[in-house]
Structure formats: C-alpha cells, structure tokens
Amino acid sequence: MDAMSRRAARPTPCPCGHPEPYEKCCGRLHRGEAAATTPEELMRSRYSAFAVRDEPYLLRTWHPRTRPPRVEFDPALRWVGLDIEETTEGTAFHTTGTVTFRAHYTDGGRPEVLHEHSRFERVDGAWVYVDGSFIA
C-alpha cells in the first residue's frame, strides 16, 4: 500500500477533540445509534455537528422552546478546536446542566474564538441544548 492509500484509509479524527475516530465518537450520535449521556457529551457532539454541517442533528438536539426553524452554515467558517472549561450538574441524577467552552474557528482564514456558557435540560430523558450566553 502506498503512502497516499494509507492516508486515505486512516480514520478521520473526531472534531470534538477526543482521540476516537469521528465514526466511533460523535458520528454514532449524529447517526442516531446512541444518545449523549451528559451535557458535555452533547456539547462535544453539537460542536462536531457544526464542524461537519449536520443540521438535522443540531435541530434534533435543540430544546423545542428555543429551537430555530433552521441552521445556516457560513461557508467561510471552519471549526478547528474545542476546549471544555467547566461543567456543572448534568449527571444521571440531574435534569439540568451547564458547559462553559471555547470553540476555535477560522473565518476566512482569520483565527477566532467563540466563548460560551451553555445551558442544557433533559426533555423526555434526552439531553438538549437550551441556550447560551457569550463570554467576552
């Protein structure tokens, strides 16, 4: 096998930052084979959904009362990294949780950071994104 074939056969790393390949990490959530068990796992999978432009997954994991009619992706944006700073609650014993994170991206090649404190709730047993507030 030549070098080009080996590179093509190598699994794509997950955009969320975990070492597993995308197909075994966030890809299984995007395909509906599993559900996020914590707000952090949901946050990571939603970040990955933005990176791979998976609108159905983003809408499916958005709280019904705050869900937009659609998600529009800016073609100039490229999501390049995720740092989880803090999580609160969100265990099997909670119905709410928060995740504070930094999502790194480039906009037309310029590096940028989205710093957000996000809120999550359980709806019918599943974690969903409610809303977030930007941190300056």
Side-chain angles (χ1 to χ4, degrees), residues 76-125:
L77 293 184
R78 296 285 175 257
W79 298 97
V80 297
L82 177 66
D83 299 318
I84 303 295
E85 295 183 339
E86 180 182 26
T87 63
T88 64
E89 298 183 332
T91 70
F93 303 104
H94 295 109
T95 57
T96 62
T98 67
V99 178
T100 302
F101 66 93
R102 288 179 188 266
H104 302 271
Y105 64 98
T106 60
D107 184 357
R110 291 182 322 276
E112 302 282 348
V113 177
L114 169 68
H115 195 191
E116 184 175 304
H117 179 77
S118 296
R119 293 184 322 120
F120 299 85
E121 291 179 11
R122 284 188 195 267
V123 172
D124 297 328

Side-chain angles (χ1 to χ4, degrees), residues 45-57:
S45 69
R46 287 178 54 83
Y47 172 85
S48 290
F50 274 103
V52 300
R53 301 172 190 243
D54 186 342
E55 180 185 33
Y57 181 78

